[in-house]
Amino acid sequence: MNEVPRPPGHDGEALGQRLALELTRAVVQAEKRFGRTLDRRELARRLNVSLSSLYAYLNGTTLPGTGVFDALLAELGVRGTEAGRLATLRDEVDAARRLRPAAVRSAARRSPGSAAVPRQLPLSHPVFVARDAELVRLDALLGPSGDPAPGRAGVAVVEGTGGVGKTALALHWAYRAQHRFPDGQLYVDLRGFGDKAVMDPGEALHGFLQALGVTPAAVPTDTAVASGLLRTLLAGRRVLLVLDNARSTDQVRPLLPTDSGSVAVVTSRNRLDGLVIREGALRIALDVLPRYAARTLLERQMGAERIALEPREVDELVDLCARLPLALSVAAARTATAPAGSIGALVRELRRARAPLDLFGVQDADVDLRTVFHGSYALLPAPAAQLFRLLGCHPGPEIDATACAGLVGATDPPLALLDTLTAAHLVRQHTPGRYTLHDLLRLYAVELLDGGPPQERLDGTERLLRHYLDIARLADHHLEPWRTTPGGTPSVAGAQPPIGDHAAATAWFESELPSLQALIAQAAATPGLESYAWRLADACALHLRRSGRRAQRA
């Protein structure tokens, strides 16, 4: 069948965009006449259409029927020859679209020359290491064929503490997979953490809709309506959305696609449980790098020759940076162009510094380590913030929930507060009931404690020592329950782990021995608390002797 010839410029899509522009101009002129912003919700009610349908008319997504179109022109005050011209244009759009099969229209819409195809991904970090397992999990969003999985839009949430490399992972994968999304890639920094005001979902929607070709005047002011329009525009298209630095589920939810073919990757320092529970999002929690990967990162940023000159110093720098990608990158930037021996010099500075985080400070707030940590800490409720600070009193590598109760002076483990800290990725529950935080976060907690009232540190340290002393005495009693103890069986005032027999007592000593030794040293060096040192040592003596640790006992 021969196609009916049409004059140049009479393509349905081009005519549709022209009609949308004309309608937008009519809206602006009507607002000038009325002296106020046109109430689009009221206008939709008068036309007896939904608000989302009205916006679809104004941005050219949907062509209104002749009756609705005539009523719309009347409401906008367009009359006479101007109304006739627009009615003719509307009929031309209708005729042009009817002449073109749906498949051809779809292909034209996806053609770069006929519709907006956003390419918003920012530059990714040139050095990317490890994270192979995480990349495989993100690839699962594409399905076995390598294209977005059918049925519904894919959503992934990349979570982790500040500086752990969430954005780097999301962008690395996005560039690797962008050819699977021919209709474009959208990106937004939602500013969930930091000094800048957190971005409202409406602002993000405004940017997305304009990137997809919606004229500014046609962007809905109502967030729910704008969200519906975004989903409408993404229907049948394959678009990748990277929603970076999100603070909450509510901030993200209006920006998510629903149609299969599109994928959204969200990054956040917070645990976005709502997206996992309600939207079925894939959760990817990032931890600090493995030791080999941390060393590889330094090698790629500083050069293999520099690393080979100071191998021991590099290993120590990896530890001092807590294997945190941001800290490693800052350290590499400080030493990459410095003279030979500068890695060792930085290591010595970090060892001696009273405030080691100063050496990870830079002018740009988004890569200044202390500022990055503060962005998460500042959002904590006061009780959780206090517990985080008091963790700076604990010198051991990990702490259990009962010891946290001792820290804050509670009779029960503060599980709700610990969950708040784990949700903010400021502490990590590495085994049930036991928590840890990497060394740089520990330094930050110590800084916060040092910057507050001295009594807070002293009281917290004494409560902690008293807790460990009570538990150690109880465990020591169960090692030899027949031994006479002055005052009878030791009692514990607050929360305590389940220690009721010899096996449980031995297990407690084994798990807590590194903390107990660090606490003894801390008590000995703290004026007014020195007596806790010898009393803790005495409570540990029997276990140390029985476990063959005579040197540690001495």
Side-chain angles (χ1 to χ4, degrees):
M1 181 183 291
N2 294 329
E3 184 178 354
V4 178
R6 293 189 302 279
H10 277 61
D11 178 83
E13 296 298 327
L15 286 172
Q17 290 300 315
R18 179 180 158 195
L19 178 62
L21 183 62
E22 295 277 6
L23 287 177
T24 299
R25 185 178 294 116
V27 169
V28 173
Q29 290 173 347
E31 289 179 333
K32 288 181 179 178
R33 284 197 306 274
F34 299 149
R36 57 181 170 78
T37 302
L38 197 66
D39 189 337
R40 289 166 171 75
R41 192 178 296 277
E42 176 61 21
L43 178 59
R45 189 189 66 77
R46 291 180 183 178
L47 296 175
N48 198 30
V49 299
S50 68
L51 188 55
S52 59
S53 294
L54 174 61
Y55 278 110
Y57 301 155
L58 295 177
N59 64 44
T61 306
T62 303
L63 184 68
T66 54
V68 173
F69 186 79
D70 292 343
L72 174 60
L73 294 183
E75 291 291 342
L76 295 176
V78 180
R79 295 181 174 82
T81 56
E82 180 67 10
R85 185 181 68 82
L86 291 179
T88 300
L89 178 58
R90 182 244 166 244
D91 292 343
E92 289 177 352
V93 173
D94 189 27
R97 290 185 176 180
R98 288 176 185 276
L99 285 171
R100 304 187 71 194
V104 176
R105 290 203 307 271
S106 176
R109 184 187 63 204
R110 294 179 183 180
S111 160
S114 63
V117 179
R119 307 290 186 192
Q120 294 188 336
L121 295 179
L123 281 174
S124 60
H125 198 289
V127 177
F128 185 84
V129 299
R131 309 302 192 196
D132 294 335
E134 290 82 0
L135 289 170
V136 169
R137 296 189 67 200
L138 285 170
D139 285 341
L141 294 171
L142 299 177
S145 66
D147 291 326
R152 63 191 301 277
V155 181
V157 183
V158 181
E159 302 171 353
T161 192
V164 81
K166 301 177 295 296
T167 300
L169 172 63
L171 291 179
H172 182 81
W173 183 81
Y175 274 106
R176 197 171 80 163
Q178 65 177 333
H179 65 287
R180 300 292 182 185
F181 301 95
D183 295 317
Q185 301 89 44
L186 295 168
Y187 172 88
V188 65
D189 179 1
L190 294 170
R191 304 194 303 258
F193 307 87
D195 295 334
K196 295 181 181 179
V198 63
M199 182 179 287
D200 183 81
E203 182 182 349
L205 284 165
H206 196 279
F208 280 177
L209 290 174
Q210 286 194 65
L212 291 169
V214 179
T215 57
V219 174
T221 55
D222 183 278
T223 299
V225 177
S227 178
L229 180 57
L230 175 66
R231 293 193 294 271
T232 299
L233 293 177
L234 294 180
R237 306 177 78 179
R238 285 158 57 182
V239 177
L240 171 63
L241 297 86
V242 179
L243 312 177
D244 198 15
N245 216 12
R247 180 182 294 187
S248 67
T249 295
D250 289 340
Q251 186 188 23
V252 169
R253 191 168 276 134
L255 308 176
L256 296 178
T258 54
D259 199 55
S260 63
S262 290
V263 167
V265 178
V266 185
T267 75
S268 181
R269 297 186 202 174
N270 287 337
R271 196 179 64 208
L272 303 184
D273 292 334
L275 290 184
V276 176
I277 296 168
R278 291 187 55 185
E279 277 71 30
L282 170 69
R283 169 177 280 151
I284 298 176
L286 291 190
D287 199 358
V288 295
L289 291 171
R291 178 174 295 279
Y292 80 89
R295 187 182 174 91
T296 301
L297 182 64
L298 288 177
E299 180 178 309
R300 291 186 183 176
Q301 292 189 337
M302 291 191 289
E305 292 182 1
R306 294 292 307 278
I307 296 294
L309 291 174
E310 303 176 85
R312 293 182 181 177
E313 290 78 1
V314 169
D315 287 340
E316 188 167 355
L317 183 59
V318 165
D319 291 334
L320 291 169
C321 290
R323 293 178 281 128
L324 187 72
L326 177 57
L328 291 162
S329 294
V330 172
R334 289 178 63 94
T335 58
T337 58
S342 56
I343 299 176
L346 177 58
V347 166
R348 289 188 292 273
E349 279 188 89
L350 286 168
R351 281 202 223 106
R352 293 194 300 258
R354 294 188 62 185
L357 291 181
D358 286 347
L359 298 177
F360 293 104
V362 293
Q363 291 183 348
D364 297 328
D366 61 333
V367 291
D368 176 83
L369 213 55
R370 186 182 285 112
T371 304
V372 168
F373 292 161
H374 180 74
S376 297
Y377 170 77
L379 299 177
L380 294 174
Q386 182 195 34
L387 175 56
F388 179 74
R389 291 194 305 273
L390 289 174
L391 287 172
C393 296
H394 191 281
E398 59 184 57
I399 187 170
D400 73 354
T402 61
C404 289
L407 260 182
V408 298
T411 56
D412 296 307
L415 298 181
L417 300 184
L418 286 165
D419 187 61
T420 299
L421 294 180
T422 55
H425 291 280
L426 288 171
V427 302
R428 183 172 67 91
Q429 185 177 198
H430 68 95
T431 56
R434 299 192 71 82
Y435 301 82
T436 186
L437 62 166
H438 66 68
D439 290 344
L440 292 176
L441 275 173
R442 187 184 303 280
L443 284 174
Y444 180 61
V446 171
E447 278 194 4
L448 293 171
L449 205 56
D450 289 342
Q455 198 63 37
E456 183 178 38
R457 170 186 279 281
L458 186 62
D459 290 347
T461 301
E462 184 166 15
R463 286 194 299 266
L464 188 67
L465 289 168
R466 188 183 309 121
H467 166 83
Y468 274 99
L469 179 60
D470 287 348
I471 305 299
R473 283 177 167 170
L474 178 64
D476 181 53
H477 167 75
H478 282 291
L479 292 181
E480 288 186 350
W482 57 85
R483 182 173 14 124
T484 302
T485 304
T489 303
S491 61
V492 179
Q496 68 176 73
I499 299 176
D501 55 26
H502 182 281
T506 300
W508 183 84
F509 272 121
E510 285 298 311
S511 63
E512 296 293 349
L513 194 56
S515 292
L516 288 166
Q517 292 173 318
L519 285 163
I520 290 170
Q522 178 174 299
T526 305
L529 301 180
E530 298 92 341
S531 66
Y532 282 99
W534 68 261
R535 287 188 285 171
L536 269 173
D538 182 65
C540 297
L542 179 60
H543 174 74
L544 291 175
R545 179 173 61 83
R546 288 188 172 182
S547 59
R549 296 181 174 94
R550 297 185 181 277
Q552 290 170 293
R553 180 186 176 200

